[in-house]
Amino acid sequence: MKRIMLIAFIALLAVSLIGCSSEETSDTIKIGVNYELSGPVATYGNNTVDGIKLAIQEVNDAGGINGKMVEAVILDNKSDPAEALSVATKLIAEEQVIAHLGPATSGAALNVVPAVTDAKIPMISGSATNPDVTVDPATGETREYVFRTCFTDPPQAIVGAAFAMDNLGAKKVAIYYDNTNDYSKGLYQVFKAEIEAAGGVVVAEEGFSADDQEFRPTLTKFKDAGAELVYVPAYYEKVAKIISQARELGIDVPFLGADGWDSPDLVAIAGAAALNNTYFTNHYSSSDDAPEVADFVKAFQAAYDKTPDSFAALGYDTAKLLLAVIAETGSEDPQVITDALAATKDFPAVTGTLTFDEFHNPIKEIAIIEMVDGAQVLNTKIAPSN
Amino acid sequence: METLIAQILNGLSLGSIYALIALGYTMVYGIIQLINFAHGEILMIGAYVGYFSVAVLGLNIYMALLLSMFVSSLVGVLIERIAYKPLRKSGRLSVLITAIGMSLLLQNGGLIVFGTDFVPFPQVIERIPYRLFGGRFVVTSHQILIFAVSILMMLLLQYIVGYTKIGMAMRAVSYDKEAASLMGINVDNVISFTFVIGSSLGAVAGVLLGLYYQTIHPLMGFMPGLKAFVAAVLGGIGVIPGAMLGGFLLGIIEALVSGYWSTTYKDPVVFVVLIVILIVKPTGLLGKNTSEKV
Amino acid sequence: MFKAKKVSKMFGGLAAIKDLHLHIEPGELVGLIGPNGAGKTTAFNLMTGVYSPTEGELCFVGENVAGLKPYIITNKGIARTFQNIRLFKSMSVIDNVKVGFHGHIQYSLFSAFFHGKTYRTVETEMENRAMHLLQIFNLQDKRDELASNLPYGEQRRLEIVRALAAKPKLLLLDEPAAGMNPQETKQLMALIHKIRQDFQLTILLIEHDMSLVMGICERLYVLDYGRIIAEGTPEEIKNNPKVIEAYLGEEALHA
Amino acid sequence: MTKKQILVLSSTLFFVWFVVYMATDVWGLINSFQQVNIIWAGINVILAVSLNLVVGFTGQLALGHAGFMAVGAYTSAVLTMHFGIPYVLAILAGAVMAFFMGIVIGLPTLRLRGDYLAIATLGFGEIIRGVLVNIDYVGGAAGINGIAKITNWTWTYIFTIITVVLINNFIHSLHGKACITIRDDEVASELMGINTTYYKTLAFSMGAFFAGIAGGLYAHYFFMIQPATFALQKSFDALVMVVLGGLGSITGAVLAGLGVTFMNAALIELGAFRMVIYSVLLILVMMFRPQGLMGNKEFSARVFDRILPKRGGKDDV
C-alpha cells in the first residue's frame, strides 16, 4: 500500500515538471498549425501543411507583415482527435499563437473547437467539411472563432447530383463511399437525398473501409444492379483503384466524385484511359488558367517538385487568407483578426473567390472537372444555389 | 449463380495474395514458432525496393524483383539476428513483444523515410482484362500472374522443405533445436535461411501487391499481413499447403461478405472466423495436433 | 485408494502406456521404477490429468477421474512434484506454499479487492500453516527468498512442501532425490517417512536411485516400454529376471 | 499496514489532490495544455496498470485493450447523453459492460496458447471497431460528438487511485497469486489445483473493466469519440507502457503511464519520431531487460520507513 505514496510523490513531481515550460517573447507573428502529419490520414495533413508553408514563405520573402516575420509552429496531431486537442492547447497556452490553422479532418477539428473558443483564438480549417464545425448543432449558432475555407458537404453533393441528372442524364445511380470517413459519408447522404428528390433512383449503395484495396466484389454488385452512374465521394487513392478495377470489370458508365479526387496521382495510379468519362466537383482546377491558380501551381511545383492537390491548395488559401487579414488590420489581437475574418469578402483565393457567409462557410463557385485522357478539363462552373 | 462465380473469382485473386504472404508467415512459424509481426513490413520494404529499382534505377521488373528479394532477405536476417536471436531462450512473450516492436519501428520508420503519400507503382506489366463467356466473367493478366506465382511458390517451398538437405535441417530444427544442433546442424544458419526464404516471399508479395493495387505506402503491409496471418492460422500454421488453402478461403469469404452483405462487415467477419477456428480446431484446417511436454 | 484399470495412452500411433494396471492401498508407500523412457512420467501425467487416457479407467477413492481437468483432480486429493522442478520462480518461498493452499483455504474476490477482515484472518492463518510446513522441511529461514534463488536440494524440498500444502491424500513424487548427494538422499528418505506418518499420506514415487527405492518402498511396480512387467516387494523385484533384463538391456545400450 | 501508515498515505494522497486542484482551478498555475496531460496521465496509468494485470501478472499477451476502452467510452457516453444517467454511474456501467465483453471474449480465446491469444484479441479489437463503424446510433465512423465534459482532475484522480489500489490489493491476494502462477508455469499451476481458465478469464475481464473506466473518463473529457480513436495503435500504446514499466510491477506500470504521457507532451514537436522512439525502446527493453525497467519489483516500503519518523509495523503487501 505504501508504494502508492510514492506514486503520489511522482505525480507531484510530474506536475511540477510540466509546470516549467519555457516562455519566450518573440518579435515574430506566431501561427499555430495543428495537422495530421502521421497516422492514417497523414497524407491530408502533410499536403495541407506544404501549402501553408509555401504561403508563409511567400509572405516572409516579401518582407513579412508590418516588418515582422511570420513563424509557423507546426505540430503533429497523429490523426487522433484527442491528440489534436492536446496540440491545440499546447499551441494556445505555451506557444501563445495568435491564430490556429487546422486540423484537416472534421472529427479532429470538432475536438479543437472548444479550446480555441475558450481562448478566443481564431481557427481556420482547410478541409473540415462537417457543417457542425462552424455551427453548433445544439443551438444553431455560428461558432464565433471557427472558419473554414473548404466547402461543407451539401453544396458539392447538390451540384454533383444536379450534374449527374441533368448533364449526364443518369437516372439510376450507385454510390460507393468511404464508411470510415465522415467527409465521404456526409457527401453520400446529401447526394442520395438530392437524387431521390429529383426523381432518380439509388440502385445500390455501399461503404468501404479505409484499409480496403479490393473493390471488385462490390463493383460486381453495382454492375448487376444496372447503375448508370457511380458516385464515389472519396479520396483519390481509393478512387483511382475503384475506377481502374471497375473498368477492368467492364463497367463503362460515368463516375462522379468530389474535391477529394483532385490529385495528380489520380492519373498516375489509375492511368489516363480508365479515367475517361469521369467527373468531379472541385473548388478549382490545377489546369485553370486564372493567374492566381497558375502562379500557385508554378510556385508549388518549384518548391516541392510535385503538382498540388486540393489539400495543398486549400492549405495555401487558408494561410494566405489569415495573413492577408493580419496585414490588413495591422493587429495581432486575435479578436480583431476574428472579426476581420468574419467580414471577408471577395478574397481572391486559388480555390475560387471567397466570401464567408453567416455560418463562416465560404461561398465559392463550384467547378465540374472532367478527366480527358489524363488531363483535367473544366467542364462547367456552377454557383451553388444555397 | 453467375454472380456467385464472379464473386468467387474475385475472392480467388485476393486470396492468392493472402496465400503468398501467408507462406512467409508459415515458414517462420513452422521453424521457430514465432509470429513474425514484422513480416508485413518486410513486404512493404520489398515493395519500396521494387519501386525504386523500376522508377529510379530503371531496372526491368525481373531485376527489380531479384533486388527486392535480396534487400528484404537482408532486412529479414538482420531483424532475426539483432532482435529475435538474443531472445531465443527467453519466454515466448518477450519474442512476441519484440516482434510487435519491430513491426511498429518499421512502419513508423517507413513513414519518415518514404513519406506519408501513396506512391503510384509503375505499371510495368500491362493490365489486360480477359473477358470470358461473353464478358460475364473477367480475369486480368495480373490476377493470373499472382495466382500462378503463389502456386509456384508453394510447390517450390514444398520441394525445399521436403526434398532438400537444408529442408531436412529445417524440419529437424523445428522438432528440436537442441537435438538438431547435437546432430551437427548449424541451427543459427538454418533459422537465418528460413528468414531468407520468408522475407524473399514477402518481397515478391510486396512487388506484386504494388503492381496489382497500383500504389505502395509505408503502412501497406500491416493489414494484409494480419489477414495473411489469419489465413495461415485458418489453414494450419506451419503447414505449407495450409497457408495456401487458408489464403484462398479467406479471400473467398471476404468477396462473398462484400458481395452479398456489406464490405464494412468484411473485417469483423474475418476475425470472427479466426476466433471460431481457434476455438473449434486450434491447429487449423490442415494442422496436426501437438501436445505440450511436461 | 487408487486403481488404474487397463489404461493406455497413444501419441500418434505410438503407445506410451499400454494396459496399465495399478492399485495402491491407503497408507502404502509404493515405488514406480523402470528404465529411461519407460513411461513413468507419462503415467504420472495420466494420473494427474495432464493427459487424458486413450482408454481405461482411473479410480481415485472410488471415483473415475480419467479425463478430468488437472485442477479438479488435485482438489480431489492427488498432488505431485515434478522431475524437472517446476516452482513458481518469480514468487517467494512462502508464496509458493500459500499457492498450494489454494484448493481449501480461500476468501471471496470481494475480500481480495478490499482487504477486509476475512482477508486478514485468512492470510494470518495461511501464514502460520505455511511456516509450520516450512519448518518441517527446514526452510523457515528462506521464507522471503525467491524460489529460483534456492539451491537445488532446497528447491526439491520446497516442491514437496508445496504439494503437501494442497492437502493431498495421495502424493506423487517424481524423482524426488534426483541430483542429490547420498547424504541429502538419506535425509530425504527420513523426511518422506516422517511426512507419511504425520500427514497420513499414501505415496507413489518414481525414482532412479535404487538405494532410496529399496530402502523405503513397501511395494514396487516396474514399467518397461509402457507396460508393467513386474510387481512385488523390493526383495522380489531384485531377483526378478525380467527386471534384470530390462535394466541390463538399458545398460548394454549405454555401454 | 499500521493505522499510522494509512494516515500518512491518505494525507499524502489528499495533499497531492489539493495542490493540483488549487494550482489548476484557483491559482491558475497550470495551463490548458498541462491540464490535458494531467488527465491523460490518469487515463494512461489506468490503462497501463489494468493491462499489466493481464500481460504482466497473468502472462497473457492481449492486444485488444483499446477495444475494451471503446466499450467503456461508448457505453458511458450513450448513457449520459441519451438516458441522463449520472456520470459516475455511467462510467461504472461502461466498465461493467467492458467486464462482460471481457468474459465473452476471454472464455473462448484464453484457452489458446499465448501467441494465438495475441492474434485473437487483436482481432477482437478490430471487430469492436468494425461493429461501431456500422452502428448509426453511435454515429458510425464520425462517432459521438458533444458528450458532456465532466471528467476533471478530481474525478481522474479518484478513479486512478481506486484502480491502482484495487488492482494492487488483488495482486497481493490469493486470487492474484493464482494469476501469477499461471504466468510462471501454467501446467504446474493447474496441478496445484488452480483453475487456470477461470483465473485467466478473471484477470482478463478485470483488466477490461478498468480499461472501460479509462474509456469513460476519456469520453467525458475529450467529449467526442470515434471508432478510429480506439484502433490498434491505442492497444499498442498501452502495451508499450506495460513493457517499459515492468511486466508484473504496479509501480512500474504507474511510472510508465506517467512517464510516457509526459514524454509524449515533452516530445510533441518530434511528431512521428515519437513512435520510432517508443518502438526502439520496446525492442531494447526486451533485449536487455526483458522483465521491463522495474522488473517485477515494487518500490520498497523501506523507502517510506526511512522517511517516516518511526518504523511502522510489518508491511503486509
Side-chain angles (χ1 to χ4, degrees):
Chain A
M1 277 298 275
K2 271 181 295 181
R3 65 193 55 113
I4 290 162
M5 282 200 293
L6 205 103
I7 294 159
F9 272 107
I10 285 153
L12 251 185
L13 205 81
V15 167
S16 56
L17 197 89
I18 58 164
C20 38
S21 65
S22 58
E23 297 285 320
E24 41 183 300
T25 48
S26 62
D27 46 0
T28 55
I29 296 172
K30 269 193 172 179
I31 309 288
V33 179
N34 175 359
Y35 269 99
E36 291 78 347
L37 304 181
S38 65
V41 293
T43 326
Y44 315 160
N46 281 300
N47 285 318
T48 311
V49 169
D50 281 347
I52 293 175
K53 285 202 286 206
L54 180 64
I56 291 176
Q57 186 62 42
E58 284 177 9
V59 168
N60 281 342
D61 286 349
I65 298 173
N66 304 330
K68 279 188 168 185
M69 287 292 129
V70 179
E71 182 194 346
V73 184
I74 302 170
L75 294 181
D76 171 23
N77 64 34
K78 302 204 269 189
S79 309
D80 177 355
E83 189 76 13
L85 173 58
S86 178
V87 164
T89 55
K90 160 112 179 156
L91 290 170
I92 294 165
E94 299 200 337
E95 301 291 346
Q96 285 164 348
V97 299
I98 59 163
H100 179 285
L101 300 184
T105 54
S106 298
L110 279 169
N111 230 22
V112 168
V113 164
V116 297
T117 307
D118 286 349
K120 301 192 191 313
I121 299 275
M123 155 183 167
I124 318 175
S125 170
S127 49
T129 53
N130 185 332
D132 295 353
V133 172
T134 57
V135 178
D136 186 342
T139 60
E141 278 172 30
T142 304
R143 302 183 200 266
E144 184 180 355
Y145 297 95
V146 188
F147 303 86
R148 84 177 103 225
T149 49
C150 56
F151 299 115
T152 53
D153 297 329
Q156 280 203 85
I158 293 167
V159 168
F163 182 77
M165 303 271 294
D166 304 341
N167 299 41
L168 300 176
K171 294 273 175 287
K172 289 154 75 181
V173 305
I175 308 175
Y176 204 11
Y177 59 97
D178 184 345
N179 191 37
T180 51
N181 182 303
D182 33 358
Y183 153 79
S184 191
K185 267 185 114 168
L187 284 172
Y188 145 65
Q189 280 153 358
V190 179
F191 185 85
K192 183 184 173 190
E194 285 292 311
I195 289 285
E196 284 171 351
V201 191
V202 178
V203 291
E205 52 197 292
E206 272 294 329
F208 57 85
S209 76
D211 295 317
D212 284 352
Q213 307 230 56
E214 181 65 58
F215 305 104
R216 288 179 183 85
T218 307
L219 290 168
T220 305
K221 208 162 143 181
F222 288 174
K223 193 178 174 185
D224 290 352
E228 294 163 3
L229 175 137
V230 183
Y231 186 55
V232 189
Y235 291 110
Y236 61 87
E237 180 250 344
K238 299 288 174 218
V239 171
K241 292 174 185 176
I242 290 170
I243 293 176
S244 68
Q245 290 179 18
R247 296 298 189 231
E248 277 171 14
L249 288 174
I251 301 174
D252 298 320
V253 300
F255 278 69
L256 177 68
D259 54 344
W261 282 32
D262 186 16
S263 164
D265 281 348
L266 182 71
V267 182
I269 299 168
L275 288 169
N276 284 335
N277 202 18
T278 66
Y279 309 83
F280 64 97
T281 50
N282 200 9
H283 334 263
Y284 88 118
S285 160
S286 55
S287 65
D288 201 328
D289 40 17
E292 299 92 30
V293 178
D295 289 350
F296 164 68
V297 172
K298 225 167 94 190
F300 193 91
Q301 272 169 334
Y304 301 107
D305 198 24
K306 61 181 182 185
T307 314
D309 62 5
S310 63
F311 284 102
L314 285 165
Y316 179 82
D317 278 354
T318 306
K320 265 283 162 87
L321 170 66
L322 175 68
L323 297 179
V325 166
I326 296 174
E328 196 181 298
T329 58
S331 168
E332 288 174 37
D333 179 356
Q335 189 62 49
V336 175
I337 298 170
T338 307
D339 295 341
L341 271 174
T344 301
K345 206 167 183 332
D346 296 332
F347 175 77
V350 169
T351 58
T353 308
L354 186 153
T355 302
F356 279 126
D357 66 7
E358 54 181 313
F359 304 115
H360 294 182
N361 294 326
I363 304 168
K364 291 191 275 195
E365 273 187 331
I366 294 176
I368 303 255
I369 312 282
E370 180 181 359
M371 299 302 299
V372 178
D373 295 329
Q376 293 190 359
V377 175
L378 185 65
N379 184 294
T380 172
K381 274 189 182 182
I382 302 172
S385 45
N386 67 334
Chain B
M1 190 61 203
E2 242 175 57
T3 316
L4 182 69
I5 294 171
Q7 293 295 21
I8 288 176
L9 279 178
N10 290 333
L12 274 181
S13 69
L14 180 63
S16 0
I17 293 199
Y18 289 152
L20 202 52
I21 310 172
L23 284 174
Y25 266 116
T26 252
M27 279 301 288
V28 170
Y29 193 93
I31 308 298
I32 56 171
Q33 283 77 46
L34 162 73
I35 303 177
N36 184 14
F37 271 94
H39 189 66
E41 279 61 53
I42 288 180
L43 174 155
M44 176 268 291
I45 290 172
Y48 271 92
V49 173
Y51 166 76
F52 283 115
S53 319
V54 174
V56 181
L57 302 179
L59 300 179
N60 68 31
I61 186 70
Y62 305 104
M63 291 305 290
L65 256 178
L66 278 180
L67 191 64
S68 117
M69 284 164 82
F70 175 74
V71 175
S72 286
S73 307
L74 211 63
V75 175
V77 170
L78 271 177
I79 291 176
E80 197 275 322
R81 286 278 157 125
I82 293 172
Y84 300 160
K85 191 181 158 203
L87 294 171
R88 226 175 267 162
K89 289 212 168 58
S90 15
R92 266 201 148 97
L93 197 66
S94 313
V95 200
L96 212 54
I97 291 175
T98 309
I100 291 174
M102 258 307 159
S103 167
L104 286 177
L105 174 63
L106 294 176
Q107 278 177 32
N108 290 289
L111 282 173
I112 288 167
V113 176
F114 302 128
T116 51
D117 282 329
F118 286 90
V119 179
F121 198 90
Q123 294 299 303
V124 279
I125 299 177
E126 205 193 338
R127 303 171 80 88
I128 311 164
Y130 301 103
R131 298 185 202 289
L132 315 172
F133 301 102
R136 270 179 290 177
F137 309 122
V138 182
V139 178
T140 69
S141 47
H142 282 48
Q143 288 175 330
I144 297 171
L145 176 73
I146 291 172
F147 185 79
V149 169
S150 56
I151 296 275
L152 201 72
M153 289 293 169
M154 183 199 77
L155 294 176
L156 191 68
L157 273 189
Q158 277 288 57
Y159 173 76
I160 292 178
V161 173
Y163 301 97
T164 63
K165 212 175 151 202
I166 183 87
M168 206 159 75
M170 284 162 90
R171 277 180 289 151
V173 170
S174 85
Y175 279 119
D176 189 336
K177 283 198 227 19
E178 266 163 53
S181 77
L182 287 176
M183 302 304 288
I185 292 171
N186 185 333
V187 174
D188 288 345
N189 284 353
V190 170
I191 292 178
S192 293
F193 181 75
T194 311
F195 271 82
V196 166
I197 295 192
S199 306
S200 308
L201 282 171
V204 173
V207 172
L208 288 180
L209 213 62
L211 268 178
Y212 188 51
Y213 288 129
Q214 302 145 302
T215 59
I216 55 175
H217 186 266
L219 303 182
M220 68 183 280
F222 188 70
M223 240 332 177
L226 208 59
K227 296 278 187 65
F229 180 79
V230 173
V233 173
L234 193 64
I237 192 145
V239 187
I240 292 168
M244 210 69 207
L245 177 71
F248 287 141
L249 270 181
L250 204 64
I252 291 171
I253 290 171
E254 283 197 8
L256 294 183
V257 171
S258 303
Y260 289 97
W261 190 9
S262 166
T263 341
T264 47
Y265 282 108
K266 178 188 70 175
D267 291 359
V269 167
V270 164
F271 288 109
V272 168
V273 167
L274 168 75
I275 292 174
V276 169
I277 273 287
L278 286 177
I279 291 160
V280 178
K281 198 168 184 306
T283 48
L285 296 176
L286 301 183
K288 292 179 280 274
N289 272 313
T290 50
S291 47
E292 205 171 342
K293 257 194 199 163
V294 176
Chain C
M1 170 147 242
F2 190 91
K3 253 191 207 135
K5 284 185 217 155
K6 240 178 129 36
V7 171
S8 300
K9 177 68 188 172
M10 313 283 285
F11 288 115
L14 282 157
I17 293 286
K18 187 86 191 137
D19 288 338
L20 180 77
H21 284 274
L22 267 180
H23 66 94
I24 304 166
E25 299 306 322
E28 263 192 313
L29 203 170
V30 182
L32 180 62
I33 60 171
N36 277 332
K40 301 181 299 277
T41 298
T42 308
F44 268 28
N45 284 340
L46 285 168
M47 294 170 71
T48 50
V50 178
Y51 300 149
S52 56
T54 313
E55 58 177 319
E57 236 177 74
L58 293 161
C59 287
F60 179 61
V61 229
E63 191 184 349
N64 188 5
V65 296
L68 289 184
K69 289 203 150 212
Y71 77 93
I72 295 174
I73 297 183
T74 307
N75 291 336
K76 285 187 187 299
I78 303 181
R80 69 177 282 186
T81 65
F82 301 89
Q83 186 180 352
N84 46 343
I85 303 171
R86 300 185 82 150
L87 288 168
F88 302 119
K89 293 191 184 66
S90 69
M91 293 175 122
S92 66
V93 166
I94 192 157
D95 279 350
N96 264 282
V97 183
K98 282 184 184 172
V99 165
F101 293 136
H102 190 89
H104 51 99
I105 311 180
Q106 262 307 349
Y107 41 75
S108 67
L109 267 177
F110 184 84
S111 298
F113 278 112
F114 297 98
H115 284 199
K117 205 170 164 203
T118 357
Y119 169 83
R120 283 192 297 262
T121 41
V122 173
E123 283 284 331
T124 320
E125 190 200 337
M126 272 197 310
E127 183 91 12
N128 295 339
R129 291 185 38 186
M131 283 313 286
H132 176 70
L133 282 176
L134 285 174
Q135 258 154 14
I136 298 177
F137 284 77
N138 201 19
L139 288 165
Q140 69 275 24
D141 299 335
K142 309 273 176 134
R143 56 166 283 170
D144 290 325
E145 294 241 7
L146 275 189
S148 52
N149 292 345
L150 292 185
Y152 188 75
E154 290 183 354
Q155 289 199 12
R156 284 241 169 256
R157 296 214 300 271
L158 179 56
E159 259 209 331
I160 302 178
V161 180
R162 186 181 66 177
L164 283 178
K167 242 189 184 175
K169 300 188 187 92
L170 173 63
L171 179 64
L172 308 180
L173 300 174
D174 199 342
E175 300 200 25
M180 288 188 176
N181 61 35
Q183 177 66 25
E184 287 173 322
T185 308
K186 226 181 203 156
Q187 286 171 354
L188 185 74
M189 277 166 71
L191 215 56
I192 292 175
H193 257 297
K194 184 176 152 50
I195 56 168
R196 177 159 74 127
Q197 299 300 325
D198 293 359
F199 295 87
Q200 299 171 342
L201 283 175
T202 309
I203 297 177
L204 175 66
L205 63 83
I206 294 177
E207 190 47 72
H208 266 293
D209 189 323
M210 281 303 148
S211 65
L212 183 124
V213 176
M214 299 294 169
I216 64 172
C217 292
E218 287 142 11
R219 212 151 52 80
L220 292 176
Y221 283 100
V222 186
L223 206 56
D224 192 22
Y225 292 111
R227 289 166 196 271
I228 299 284
I229 53 168
E231 179 204 337
T233 63
E235 276 312 305
E236 291 165 9
I237 295 295
K238 251 183 219 167
N239 303 320
N240 187 320
K242 269 192 190 162
V243 179
I244 294 165
E245 193 195 309
Y247 272 87
L248 275 183
E250 190 196 20
E251 263 160 44
L253 212 95
H254 276 276
Chain D
M1 192 152 137
T2 61
K3 288 237 163 63
K4 186 170 179 183
Q5 282 172 321
I6 293 180
L7 200 72
V8 173
L9 175 66
S10 34
S11 38
T12 315
L13 289 176
F14 181 78
F15 179 71
V16 171
W17 169 79
F18 183 74
V19 169
V20 177
Y21 175 76
M22 292 301 281
T24 318
D25 289 6
V26 182
W27 304 329
L29 286 177
I30 295 183
N31 71 32
S32 52
F33 178 57
Q34 291 154 348
Q35 285 175 34
V36 172
N37 283 303
I38 289 173
I39 305 295
W40 258 130
I43 293 174
N44 278 339
V45 166
I46 296 177
L47 286 177
V49 173
S50 58
L51 184 63
N52 206 2
L53 179 60
V54 186
V55 181
F57 287 103
T58 317
Q60 308 299 311
L61 184 56
L63 297 177
H65 220 50
F68 294 118
M69 199 181 161
V71 172
Y74 272 85
T75 310
S76 61
V78 166
L79 287 180
T80 53
M81 279 182 84
H82 299 315
F83 296 93
I85 307 280
Y87 171 71
V88 176
L89 281 184
I91 290 206
L92 289 179
V96 170
M97 192 72 171
F99 177 81
F100 283 117
M101 289 300 272
I103 295 177
V104 171
I105 303 304
L107 263 186
T109 50
L110 286 163
R111 291 171 24 202
L112 307 170
R113 260 215 330 262
D115 31 10
Y116 286 163
L117 178 76
I119 291 292
T121 46
L122 187 154
F124 154 72
E126 291 299 295
I127 293 173
I128 291 256
R129 209 160 58 88
V131 169
L132 286 176
V133 165
N134 282 299
I135 300 179
D136 283 329
Y137 180 67
V138 293
I144 303 179
N145 184 22
I147 305 162
K149 184 172 178 175
I150 305 173
T151 301
N152 55 16
W153 156 245
T154 306
W155 283 122
T156 311
Y157 191 65
I158 292 174
F159 277 114
T160 309
I161 298 291
I162 291 178
T163 304
V164 174
V165 169
L166 289 186
I167 292 188
N168 187 60
N169 281 353
F170 175 77
I171 283 305
H172 290 93
S173 76
L174 262 183
H175 299 275
K177 279 171 196 151
C179 293
I180 300 177
T181 62
I182 296 173
R183 174 191 71 191
D184 278 8
D185 189 330
E186 191 168 341
V187 176
S189 169
E190 181 114 352
L191 284 166
M192 288 320 297
I194 291 165
N195 183 347
T196 50
T197 311
Y198 169 79
Y199 279 105
K200 282 194 277 186
T201 314
L202 179 69
F204 188 69
S205 38
M206 287 314 307
F209 179 88
F210 291 106
I213 288 189
L217 290 176
Y218 177 96
H220 290 85
Y221 186 78
F222 292 103
F223 51 79
M224 119 154 243
I225 46 178
Q226 292 183 314
T229 304
F230 306 102
L232 217 55
Q233 192 59 48
K234 271 264 167 340
S235 299
F236 284 156
D237 288 349
L239 182 69
V240 169
M241 290 187 269
V242 169
V243 170
L244 292 185
L247 295 163
S249 163
I250 302 267
T251 323
V254 172
L255 287 180
L258 296 175
V260 167
T261 309
F262 294 117
M263 210 156 97
N264 242 330
L267 302 181
I268 198 163
E269 269 140 73
L270 289 183
F273 258 111
R274 277 179 291 181
M275 276 317 293
V276 174
I277 294 174
Y278 295 147
S279 37
V280 170
L281 271 178
L282 197 67
I283 297 168
L284 289 181
V285 167
M286 277 298 121
M287 282 168 71
F288 296 107
R289 225 185 130 63
Q291 64 279 65
L293 293 181
M294 283 291 291
N296 55 14
K297 287 192 198 66
E298 301 292 352
F299 254 107
S300 160
R302 264 164 259 148
V303 177
F304 284 100
D305 289 338
R306 256 182 258 142
I307 299 168
L308 295 173
K310 251 190 202 166
R311 239 197 112 97
K314 225 187 341 172
D315 187 23
D316 69 348
V317 290

